[in-house]
Amino acid sequence: MDIDRAVTAIKKAVAQAEQKANIQISEVIVGIPANLLEIVPCSGMIAIGDESGNSKEIGNDDVYRVTKADLTQKLPPERDIIDILPDEFIVDGFDGIKDPRGMIGVRLEMKGVVYTGPKTILHNTLKCVQMAGLKVKDTLVGPLALSTVALSDGERDFGTVLLDLGGGQTTAAVVHDHKLKYTYVDQEGGKFVTKDISVVLNTSLENAEKIKRNYGYAASYLASKEDLFPVEVVGKTDKVQVSGEYLGEIIEARLTQIFTKLKDALEQIDALGLPGGIVITGGMAALPGVKELAEDVFDVNIKIFIPQQMGLRHPSFTQAIGLVQYMTVRSEIELVVKGVLSGKTVQQVAPQRATKEADDEQLVKVDFNSEKAEKKQKKKDGNGAFEGLKNFFNTFFD
């Protein structure tokens, strides 16, 4: 909404990170929010054989071309592609293939999912990052990255609703079969709770935020009438005593409104019947009583996710951790496919997979089962089987 303020916030965050990590940051991975996100299936097919119809070994170039064929569908002028994920490849009618490189065939097909978002959001987000003096290394769908760290493998497989209670907005993401199926965004988040506290208690936004964090309860019945705390009221010299229960009622009213909107949206697609229930994370998830209030509203199993990394044990860090982890678990074939969007060459994205002959040659080099190889290794190293085993693992991990 305000590019200048966003740029200032980015610069401040980067400066803090550089100071704490003692490194200089020039490239960043950008998580794109789920605002008006659309999930569109795509498919494409190319011929990979020669003119005579003979089979040919599939390589990176072929994956690159079939991805381009996938993206030939016309997008509305106001939308742009954030990410593309391959679901499966089909070689000469054989489906369910995760990585076709190294196989031979005449025809290659790819079926996948394209995530698109409004050009305005994409442009403004990337513009802010660039104005902050940073280079965008990659863009990711925020909820998809979040799910890799906040949900277990079983939760992503059988189906779970992931709620991100952020400061600026609240996002519901439905993940099933390891895929992001649906997103819904409510433009109310933690800042609206702070604003409510500020208005009702007639105090500044800064004081309201401190009060929320220090004394707030999401479910008012968990707070006590006897627990009183001082509040600086605008226009008054003396501080006013406010009970924890009264503060809880202010917070509960806004959160109940947010949860009710999310429930209505999720019920329309029958998402609340998924086995994984609902997993809640984000800054507001740290408030005591969020789990109890969510159980009352949604009437399903609720779990709060809090990162366990040292120094980051707060749900507000889940999104950032998710972006980092998602980049580390992306397969090579996914990087090749994604490279089409950025216009990178195949060599820049991922090296060509080693040929079978090279693999065989590497296996021969570490074959210590034969008597000849074993004697040669003993003579060379002088340490027998132990050195052989150590060299085997070194070569293996290389």
Side-chain angles (χ1 to χ4, degrees):
M1 303 300 292
D2 189 327
I3 288 182
D4 290 336
R5 287 182 63 189
V7 171
T8 301
I10 293 170
K11 286 181 177 179
K12 184 179 179 181
V14 170
Q16 290 176 352
E18 288 179 331
Q19 182 181 14
K20 292 179 180 179
N22 196 26
I23 60 170
Q24 186 174 358
I25 297 170
S26 57
E27 285 187 330
V28 291
I29 300 161
V30 180
I32 304 298
N35 302 58
L36 302 177
L37 181 74
E38 287 188 3
I39 305 169
V40 184
C42 64
S43 62
M45 181 180 68
I46 60 167
I48 53 176
D50 56 25
E51 295 179 356
S52 304
N54 296 322
S55 299
K56 171 180 169 279
E57 185 171 312
I58 300 169
N60 281 337
D61 291 310
D62 301 305
V63 174
Y64 204 81
R65 287 195 300 119
V66 78
T67 304
K68 278 193 171 182
D70 266 23
L71 299 176
T72 53
Q73 56 185 334
K74 290 185 178 180
L75 286 175
E78 71 278 4
R79 301 193 70 80
D80 219 338
I81 297 175
I82 302 172
D83 204 349
I84 176 172
L85 291 177
D87 284 338
E88 66 169 344
F89 291 89
I90 304 171
V91 180
D92 295 344
F94 293 95
D95 58 4
I97 299 169
K98 293 299 181 184
D99 189 345
R101 295 173 300 166
M103 299 180 176
I104 61 170
V106 177
R107 187 178 72 252
L108 176 65
E109 300 174 62
M110 186 185 95
K111 292 184 178 180
V113 178
V114 172
Y115 299 98
T116 71
K119 277 188 176 180
T120 303
I121 291 177
L122 279 168
H123 173 80
N124 289 352
T125 303
L126 299 182
K127 183 71 174 178
C128 289
V129 175
Q130 291 164 359
M131 287 177 65
L134 300 165
K135 181 181 177 182
V136 178
K137 184 176 181 180
D138 204 352
T139 57
L140 304 176
V141 179
L144 192 61
L146 187 69
S147 67
T148 61
V149 65
L151 302 181
S152 66
D153 185 72
E155 288 169 339
R156 293 197 302 273
D157 188 13
F158 289 97
T160 305
V161 177
L162 179 60
L163 295 188
D164 181 13
L165 304 183
Q169 64 185 31
T170 303
T171 305
V174 178
V175 180
H176 182 239
D177 195 23
H178 292 270
K179 300 169 189 171
L180 181 63
K181 299 286 190 177
Y182 171 82
T183 60
Y184 174 82
V185 176
D186 182 8
Q187 295 296 339
E188 298 179 3
K191 289 182 180 178
F192 281 78
V193 175
T194 303
K195 199 173 292 184
D196 289 345
I197 296 171
S198 174
V199 171
V200 175
L201 300 184
N202 198 22
T203 188
S204 67
L205 286 172
E206 185 180 354
N207 288 334
E209 181 66 26
K210 291 178 181 178
I211 291 169
K212 181 183 73 176
R213 294 186 179 185
N214 295 333
Y215 307 104
Y217 278 86
S220 59
Y221 64 85
L222 295 176
S224 172
K225 291 181 181 179
E226 284 72 35
D227 290 338
L228 302 176
F229 56 89
V231 177
E232 294 181 7
V233 177
V234 176
K236 291 187 179 181
T237 306
D238 298 330
K239 294 182 179 180
V240 176
Q241 297 293 317
V242 177
S243 71
E245 184 184 48
Y246 185 54
L247 176 63
E249 289 173 355
I250 300 171
I251 298 173
E252 182 181 334
R254 176 64 70 173
L255 284 180
T256 300
Q257 179 179 313
I258 294 173
F259 286 163
T260 302
K261 286 183 184 178
L262 297 176
K263 182 182 180 182
D264 293 341
L266 293 170
E267 281 182 335
Q268 291 180 12
I269 60 168
D270 296 326
L272 295 178
L274 292 172
I278 295 177
V279 175
I280 300 177
T281 191
M284 286 291 290
L287 274 179
V290 166
K291 182 176 184 291
E292 290 77 5
L293 180 62
E295 287 173 341
D296 292 339
V297 176
F298 292 105
D299 195 27
V300 298
N301 181 48
I302 304 290
K303 187 175 83 172
I304 304 295
F305 176 81
I306 299 175
Q308 295 304 307
Q309 284 83 353
M310 186 178 295
L312 298 171
R313 294 184 179 126
H314 193 280
S316 62
F317 294 115
T318 309
Q319 179 70 82
I321 297 171
L323 291 173
V324 175
Q325 180 161 312
Y326 186 59
M327 282 299 294
T328 65
V329 299
R330 297 201 84 169
S331 64
E332 187 179 297
I333 191 69
E334 288 178 344
L335 295 176
V336 173
V337 169
K338 180 69 180 288
V340 176
L341 298 181
S342 59
K344 292 180 180 178
T345 63
V346 175
Q347 288 75 19
Q348 288 175 315
V349 176
Q352 178 66 52
R353 175 185 285 174
T355 62
K356 185 178 185 299
E357 289 76 11
D359 290 340
D360 291 342
E361 183 182 354
Q362 193 69 14
L363 288 173
V364 169
K365 287 181 180 178
V366 295
D367 182 12
F368 293 102
N369 293 326
S370 68
E371 184 178 354
K372 184 178 179 180
E374 185 177 355
K375 288 179 179 178
K376 185 178 179 180
Q377 189 65 25
K378 284 183 178 180
K379 183 177 180 181
K380 182 179 179 181
D381 296 331
N383 291 325
F386 175 76
E387 284 296 322
L389 188 62
K390 185 176 76 172
N391 289 336
F392 170 79
F393 276 103
N394 287 339
T395 308
F396 176 82
F397 283 112
D398 283 344

